[in-house]
């Protein structure tokens, strides 16, 4: 399911809502999660019964490419991760 299909499905389930209304809500939802986690990386944003968004610290890595044999390097950085709740993990 892509974003357009998701917007249509949510708009169909909410009486009086349009796709553009739902699009504003989803875009704002994304912004709030990103801004909250960027401001405080120890914060968790719980999302109802689905799970929680959090920040994962990724350490710097060095290696050699298996394809062309050239060395590579990735700097340490933070990533947003989503963890499913245990109750909804199994469908």
């Amino acid at each position: 399911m892509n974003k357009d299909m998701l917007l249509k499905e949510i708009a169909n389930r909410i009486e009086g809502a349009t796709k553009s209304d739902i699009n504003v809500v989803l875009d704002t939802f994304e912004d709030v999660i990103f801004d909250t986690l960027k401001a405080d990386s120890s914060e968790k944003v719980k999302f109802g019964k689905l799970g929680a968004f959090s920040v994962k610290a990724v350490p710097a890595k060095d290696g050699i490419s298996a394809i062309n044999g050239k060395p590579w390097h990735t700097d340490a950085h933070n990533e947003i991760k989503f963890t499913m709740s245990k109750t909804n993990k199994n469908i």
Side-chain angles (χ1 to χ4, degrees):
M1 176 180 278
N2 61 31
K3 186 174 181 179
D4 188 57
M5 294 165 69
L6 180 63
L7 293 173
K8 284 180 187 176
E9 184 63 31
I10 293 172
N12 287 339
R13 292 181 184 208
I14 299 174
E15 187 176 328
T18 65
K19 269 180 46 178
S20 61
D21 295 337
I22 303 304
N23 190 38
V24 169
V25 171
L26 288 180
D27 287 345
T28 304
F29 174 73
E30 292 171 2
D31 292 341
V32 167
I33 289 173
F34 182 78
D35 293 343
T36 301
L37 295 176
K38 188 174 182 181
D40 182 5
S41 62
S42 65
E43 182 81 32
K44 277 191 175 184
V45 179
K46 294 183 180 180
F47 186 58
K49 297 176 188 176
L50 283 179
F53 293 92
S54 61
V55 175
K56 174 185 174 184
V58 179
K61 297 178 189 174
D62 292 310
I64 298 176
S65 173
I67 297 171
N68 59 18
K70 294 182 181 179
W72 55 267
H73 174 77
T74 303
D75 292 330
H77 61 278
N78 291 331
E79 294 179 354
I80 294 176
K81 83 173 192 179
F82 182 78
T83 306
M84 290 293 295
S85 69
K86 290 181 182 180
T87 56
N88 287 327
K89 206 169 201 176
N90 297 323
I91 296 179

